[in-house]
Amino acid sequence: MESHMGYHAARAALEWQIELGADEAIGDAPVVRYGLPEKVTGPDAAKPEKSASPTPVQATPLPEPERGDPVAVAREAAEAAGDLAALQAAMAAYEHCDLKRGARQLVFADGQPGARVMIIGEAPGRDEDREGRPFVGAAGQLLDRMLAAIGMARAGEGEAVYITNVMPWRPPQNRDPKPEEIAMMLPFLGRHVELAAPDILVVMGNTSCQAVLGQRGITRLRGTWSEAFGRPALPMFHPAYLLRNPGAKREAWADLLSLRARLETGS
């Protein structure tokens, strides 16, 4: 049953509630009635002050841990390595390259340290990532045949070679390494060349030319002797490129003969 309250009755009820201190329909904060001063009514009564809303406290974000300059960290770690084993350990401990998180393992080198020829490839592929050695699979088999044609080999019969890559970890989906990834690995590569101490560098592929020679365009660069890390350097097609473009094997054979002649004459 509904109750119909007249105007005068409603006003009287409202004034009674005000007398009791209920002077706000909704309050932002609880009020302790026992501590309130005595209420003054009438036209001279001052309006009660509203409780100030608490000022929200802004959370201060925690500072991100400093990673340091990745290239400077790499340079310091590389310079501290006194031999190839220490360099490999320093590269394995390096945490600034995100490629490490997606790779199975570090791909360091293969062949004979101290060999006259050091081959520098681009980056590990699926087979290299699985086995932990550079130039395996179909491209590696082709490289072995190319070396055997001029009396060289990574192991076994023939003059030994030493093999590594610019990047020690496989990029996702075999994409090209990014410039910043190459930059942070370059100090390790330079130290690798110093410790392996080859007479000649063979730079295979565009990524290697970009890292070692600061240039791209392997079809233009191949076969032309240059210098890198204080040593003669010969750009060549990567064996993976030759598998996709068999017609380029003629130029690759000419480059192999140029390498053999350089080894024999020393000039």
Side-chain angles (χ1 to χ4, degrees):
M1 179 176 180
E2 296 183 357
S3 175
H4 297 281
M5 182 180 292
Y7 169 79
H8 296 286
R11 180 180 178 86
L14 180 60
E15 289 176 350
W16 172 246
Q17 292 181 24
I18 293 175
E19 284 285 338
L20 294 176
D23 52 4
E24 292 181 273
I26 298 177
D28 293 331
V31 178
V32 181
R33 298 296 178 186
Y34 299 105
L36 291 176
E38 185 178 349
K39 191 75 174 178
V40 179
T41 59
D44 296 331
K47 293 183 179 180
E49 295 184 359
K50 292 184 178 181
S51 300
S53 300
T55 303
V57 178
Q58 298 292 334
T60 303
L62 295 176
E64 295 184 0
E66 295 185 2
R67 286 170 55 93
D69 178 13
V71 177
V73 173
R75 186 180 300 111
E76 182 178 355
E79 291 174 353
D83 54 29
L84 291 173
L87 181 65
Q88 183 174 1
M91 293 172 68
Y94 185 74
E95 298 294 339
H96 292 264
C97 185
D98 291 337
L99 295 181
K100 178 180 180 179
R101 293 163 178 77
R104 292 186 179 183
Q105 58 184 315
L106 175 80
V107 178
F108 183 67
D110 196 17
Q112 180 61 51
R116 295 180 65 194
V117 174
M118 181 174 182
I119 297 174
I120 301 176
E122 297 180 323
R126 182 187 59 186
D127 295 326
E128 289 80 6
D129 185 42
R130 183 172 58 246
E131 295 190 24
R133 295 188 303 124
F135 283 93
V136 296
Q141 294 170 12
L142 177 55
L143 175 62
D144 290 341
R145 294 197 298 271
M146 292 167 62
L147 294 173
I150 57 171
M152 308 190 77
R154 70 173 84 194
E157 298 182 0
E159 184 176 350
V161 298
Y162 187 62
I163 306 173
T164 190
N165 282 318
V166 173
M167 306 302 301
W169 297 291
R170 180 193 181 191
Q173 287 79 49
N174 292 341
R175 65 161 171 78
D176 290 341
K178 299 176 182 178
E180 59 268 25
E181 294 168 343
I182 294 175
M184 66 180 69
M185 288 294 106
L186 198 54
F188 290 114
L189 180 60
R191 185 61 174 155
H192 204 159
V193 173
E194 290 179 5
L195 295 172
D199 294 333
I200 292 174
L201 299 176
V202 175
V203 187
M204 287 189 159
N206 255 328
T207 297
S208 304
C209 289
Q210 178 183 353
V212 176
L213 304 176
Q215 302 180 65
R216 291 184 66 88
I218 189 61
T219 55
R220 172 178 52 85
L221 296 171
R222 57 135 297 269
T224 302
W225 285 90
S226 185
E227 183 175 316
F229 302 117
R231 292 166 171 80
L234 177 64
M236 288 185 60
F237 288 129
H238 195 283
Y241 175 84
L242 297 176
L243 290 174
R244 299 190 303 268
N245 302 273
K249 290 182 179 179
R250 179 176 181 178
E251 287 84 357
W253 175 239
D255 296 342
L256 289 170
L257 293 178
S258 178
L259 172 62
R260 183 74 263 177
R262 187 76 174 237
L263 288 169
E264 292 176 354
T265 63
S267 61

